[in-house]
Amino acid sequence: MVPGILKLACKALVNDRARFTGLLVGITFAVFLMIAVTSLFAGALNRSSSTMYNIGASIRVMDPAVTVGGKDFGINDHRGVVAGYHRVDIGYLQARLQRMRDTAALFLALGGGWDAGAAQAQARRP
């Protein structure tokens, strides 16, 4: 009985071009949405974990007071993490310093002293 129903369903679907086209468009759009949502989720996971992977430390250490599931994960020797933190902190400060240098160079390249020009124009007025 089932093969007869499937045959009837296929005939009803394939013989009507509008239904068949609508079905194909609907399935294609549904697959597109599933792939898009999956890629958005993977991108969000990648961005949220990038902080942990790009910190430059060889190990990750939790606060000694943190307990997970009743087990204590405190680690006494955390010098590698502290050194990694300091490397990141120094890199951040170097980047800010370079930004300030670039801003000063741009200011000088554009002539600098915009306020001085306005003061001179004000002084020339009677």
Side-chain angles (χ1 to χ4, degrees):
M1 182 161 180
V2 173
I5 292 174
L6 289 177
K7 188 175 180 181
L8 181 64
C10 285
K11 278 186 179 182
L13 184 63
V14 175
N15 286 338
D16 189 6
R17 286 186 187 256
R19 282 187 191 173
F20 186 67
T21 305
L23 177 71
L24 287 181
V25 169
I27 289 174
T28 304
F29 187 66
V31 168
F32 170 75
L33 285 179
M34 287 187 279
I35 291 172
V37 169
T38 304
S39 64
L40 285 172
F41 178 69
L45 283 179
N46 190 17
R47 284 214 180 236
S48 63
S49 64
S50 67
T51 304
M52 293 300 291
Y53 293 120
N54 295 333
I55 198 163
S58 57
I59 60 172
R60 291 184 286 266
V61 179
M62 293 186 341
D63 186 17
V66 173
T67 57
V68 178
K71 295 181 180 180
D72 189 12
F73 288 100
I75 298 176
N76 294 331
D77 188 17
H78 56 276
R79 285 173 282 186
V81 173
V82 172
Y85 173 76
H86 288 304
R87 277 194 306 269
V88 170
D89 200 28
I90 290 171
Y92 173 73
L93 291 175
Q94 287 174 343
R96 287 201 54 184
L97 177 64
Q98 186 61 43
R99 183 178 177 190
M100 288 180 192
R101 286 179 183 160
D102 292 342
T103 303
L106 177 65
F107 180 73
L108 291 175
L110 293 175
W114 290 299
D115 291 336
Q120 289 173 359
Q122 186 85 12
R124 284 187 223 153
R125 289 186 182 171

